[in-house]
Amino acid sequence: AADAGAAQVVVTDVDPDRLRTARRFGATDVYLQHEDLPLVDVAFELSGATRAAARALDRLDVGGALVLVGSVSPGPDLAVAPERVVRGWWRISGVHNYEPRHLTAALDLLRRTTPQRPWADLVDPPVGLAALGGALRGPATARPRASVDPALDDVPTR
């Protein structure tokens, strides 16, 4: 959001380490989940937790928008009072899947911001396919994602 021009980027999470990472990626304000949050114009809910979506909805300013990104699996319903949506001029939308142009935009973002943003810190060093199972079952690390490079395996293909 910061790299797209947002003047203020507010991030909330239950994990202080992720809040520190958010700062490194342009967050201007960070809050632990239990702290009081300011009102916002746009809220992106990324975890898929219904409680987090309800909390984001409660923090929308007049004319605000809630974008649900992480809710890709069945879960509890989100209770929304239609009167609050109307009086608040809120918009609620969901984002799922992407098109090739989105991948192009993502690669452009990585190229433009790699000098300023520590993208490599978000993934573990790549492993070959033979080591993938261990990487997925292995101990949790500070990085949230495993990465794979099939070229690291010296396994002949059929």
Side-chain angles (χ1 to χ4, degrees), residues 17-82:
D17 288 334
R18 287 195 295 248
L19 292 176
R20 282 188 282 282
T21 298
R23 284 250 191 231
R24 294 174 65 206
F25 281 86
T28 57
D29 303 279
V30 296
Y31 296 86
L32 283 171
Q33 183 179 14
H34 66 276
E35 296 175 311
D36 288 330
L37 296 170
L39 294 179
V40 297
D41 296 325
V42 180
F44 289 90
E45 201 300 300
L46 306 172
S47 72
T50 301
R51 267 187 29 199
R55 186 158 189 243
L57 191 63
D58 285 340
R59 301 317 309 153
L60 287 183
D61 206 346
V62 173
L66 172 60
V67 183
L68 301 173
V69 181
S71 301
V72 296
S73 300
D77 289 344
L78 175 63
V80 179

